């Protein structure tokens, strides 16, 4: 009996790791709370952004500015978004948690709406409706995608799809709320109340717990090496984490997304898990070898660490970057110019708001459906997304034929069916093209492409309307950018074959050179 009990009590390390892994909230438990929080934050922030098409018409009437000049409000929003996304995903997440970053983003967004109440000219409005909300949205959207990816493994596509559905629900409900507020409280009162609505983001951001530390069995060799310095055992590192639990939990996110491809000294000098043990001694070595002060060395290392450009050397990164550069234009700007085009054709602002709501409802269904389809394994995410973007582009090429309200409904339904997959599957495709370790920092650079593209295209689309007198050419251009984006996804198999051929050729040349050296030694 004693021997049997001893056998039952002895558990192998592999089983212990498996048991601990099963207890983690990965693909279950708090992971779905994270999805709910991301869903709610996207509902508010994207819903307010999609309401800009309705506010855009009010801005034209209030400030008596041409379309091309008023479009600068959206253009500056995109510029502020892209630059802040680069800073947020490459600097802030290295020093602070995702929860803190999103709280800061929510504060900036709500301030933008509240301060817009006092706008007296277009320049002031650019600051309150472009720069502040753009900065806030950048600190919310990207980190939300990152934390969902950290809490999910097998069901990443479904988690990302559900989280992104919040943007569609927000686009369906918030414009109706904004339209009602405009009739009751006017433009300034609406912007003030809008700022109060955006303050609700702070509640959901508080639900962003730091991602759990997975067992080493689930981690890649690169991740384990990055978390443990040479000369330290894993147990030593773990003990430091437990003794400094508050510090480690606050800064764990920065450590887990570290994708350095530099020397071990550069990695470990700022590793969050071993901060207490190794930072001082390694900084001392850097000071001795480089002849600079400890503070200067630490600052330089942080800058080098945050500006890791290793992803730029990968062909797949550039495919993703240019796919987003062109694809984001059609998907993001469609509902910004739709209300103005609908009213230009003689329909009321309520008709325009209803079309935006219909589009958002179909877009929501498309996002969820795309996640389910990819989860079924019947089609790869990149192929489904390329198909959707081609459909999006083709629908926009026939804008001039949608002259009745029924045809406009058909237009927004078709557009919503095809465009929904972009936001739902974009993060999944990025992880497939790159990897989960590279994803957070690569996302920061990709969002710079977002901002540059939108900052350029907003004034261009407005200028096309001023030149041609209609929005038809603007929507044709939106469709062309969607088709162009699909080409970069379809090019991935060909670039993969090319890269594989280069690797095979390099290995053959290496073996040939080795054989020549061996033959010379034998002679």
């Amino acid at each position: 009996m004693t021997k049997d009990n001893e056998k039952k009590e002895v558990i192998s390390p592999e089983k212990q790791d498996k048991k601990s892994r099963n207890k983690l909230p990965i693909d279950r438990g708090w992971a779905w709370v994270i999805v709910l929080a991301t869903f709610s934050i996207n509902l508010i922030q994207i819903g307010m952004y999609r309401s800009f098409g309705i506010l855009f018409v009010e801005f034209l009437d209030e400030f008596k500015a041409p379309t091309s000049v008023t479009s600068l409000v959206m253009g500056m929003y995109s510029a502020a978004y892209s630059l802040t996304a680069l800073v947020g995903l490459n600097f802030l997440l290295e020093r602070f948690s995702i929860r803190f970053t999103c709280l800061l983003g929510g504060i900036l967004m709500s301030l933008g709406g509240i301060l817009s109440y006092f706008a007296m000219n277009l320049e002031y409005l650019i600051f309150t409706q472009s720069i502040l909300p753009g900065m806030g949205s950048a600190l919310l959207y990207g980190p939300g995608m990152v934390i969902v990816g950290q809490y999910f493994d097998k069901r990443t596509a479904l988690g990302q799809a559900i989280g992104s559905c919040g943007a569609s629900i927000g686009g369906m409900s918030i414009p109706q709320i904004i339209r009602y507020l405009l009739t009751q409280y006017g433009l300034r009162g609406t912007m003030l109340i809008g700022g109060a609505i955006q303050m609700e983001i702070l509640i959901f951001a508080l639900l962003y717990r730091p991602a759990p530390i997975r067992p080493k069995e689930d981690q890649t060799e690169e991740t384990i090496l990055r978390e443990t310095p040479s000369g330290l055992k894993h147990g030593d590192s773990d003990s430091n984490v437990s003794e400094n639990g508050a510090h480690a939990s606050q800064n764990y996110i920065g450590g887990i997304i570290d994708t350095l491809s530099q020397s071990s000294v550069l990695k470990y000098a700022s590793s969050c898990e071993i901060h207490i043990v190794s930072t001082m001694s390694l900084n001392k070595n850097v000071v001795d070898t480089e002849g600079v002060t400890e503070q200067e060395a630490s600052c330089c290392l942080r800058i080098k660490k945050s500006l890791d450009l290793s992803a730029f050397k990968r062909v797949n990164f550039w495919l993703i970057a240019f796919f987003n550069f062109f694809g984001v234009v059609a998907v993001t700007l469609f509902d910004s110019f739709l209300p103005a085009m609908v009213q230009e054709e003689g329909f009321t602002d309520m008709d325009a708001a209803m079309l935006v709501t219909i589009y958002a409802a179909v877009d929501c269904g498309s996002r969820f459906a795309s996640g389910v389809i990819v989860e079924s394994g019947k089609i790869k995410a990149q192929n489904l997304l390329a198909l959707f973007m081609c459909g999006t582009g083709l629908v926009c090429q026939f804008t001039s034929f949608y002259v009745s309200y029924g045809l406009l409904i058909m237009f927004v339904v078709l557009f919503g069916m095809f465009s929904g997959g972009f936001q739902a599957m974009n993060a999944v495709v990025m992880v497939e093209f790159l990897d989960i370790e590279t994803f957070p920092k690569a996302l920061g650079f990709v969002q710079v492409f977002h901002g540059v593209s939108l900052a350029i295209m907003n004034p261009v689309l407005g200028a096309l309307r001023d030149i041609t007198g209609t929005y038809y050419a603007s929507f044709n251009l939106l469709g062309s950018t969607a088709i162009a984006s699909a080409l970069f996804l379809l090019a991935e198999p060909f670039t993969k074959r090319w890269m594989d051929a280069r690797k095979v050729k390099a290995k053959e040349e290496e073996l040939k050179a080795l054989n020549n050296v061996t033959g010379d030694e034998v002679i």
Side-chain angles (χ1 to χ4, degrees), residues 461-507:
L461 294 171
L464 276 176
R465 191 269 170 213
D466 290 339
I467 293 172
T468 61
T470 67
Y471 284 97
Y472 297 150
S474 300
F475 277 86
N476 291 337
L477 180 58
L478 290 179
S480 300
T481 59
I483 295 173
S485 70
L487 299 179
F488 290 96
L489 290 182
L490 296 174
E492 190 270 339
F494 302 100
T495 59
K496 183 179 180 181
R497 293 175 189 172
W498 174 67
M499 292 297 295
D500 291 341
R502 287 188 61 186
K503 291 179 180 179
V504 171
K505 185 177 180 180
K507 288 182 178 179

Side-chain angles (χ1 to χ4, degrees), residues 255-274:
I256 199 65
I257 68 170
D258 181 12
T259 55
L260 286 175
S261 58
Q262 304 170 17
S263 67
S264 59
V265 172
L266 296 185
K267 290 181 181 180
Y268 302 139
S270 57
S271 177
C272 297
E273 284 71 24
I274 60 170

Side-chain angles (χ1 to χ4, degrees), residues 316-328:
N316 280 357
F317 170 80
W318 291 106
L319 292 178
I320 283 291
F322 283 108
F323 162 71
N324 280 271
F325 181 87
F326 290 102
V328 73

Side-chain angles (χ1 to χ4, degrees), residues 347-368:
F347 299 99
T348 65
D349 54 353
M350 291 301 295
D351 293 332
M354 181 58 64
L355 287 174
V356 172
T357 302
I358 294 172
Y359 159 68
V362 178
D363 179 77
C364 178
S366 175
R367 294 182 186 219
F368 182 77

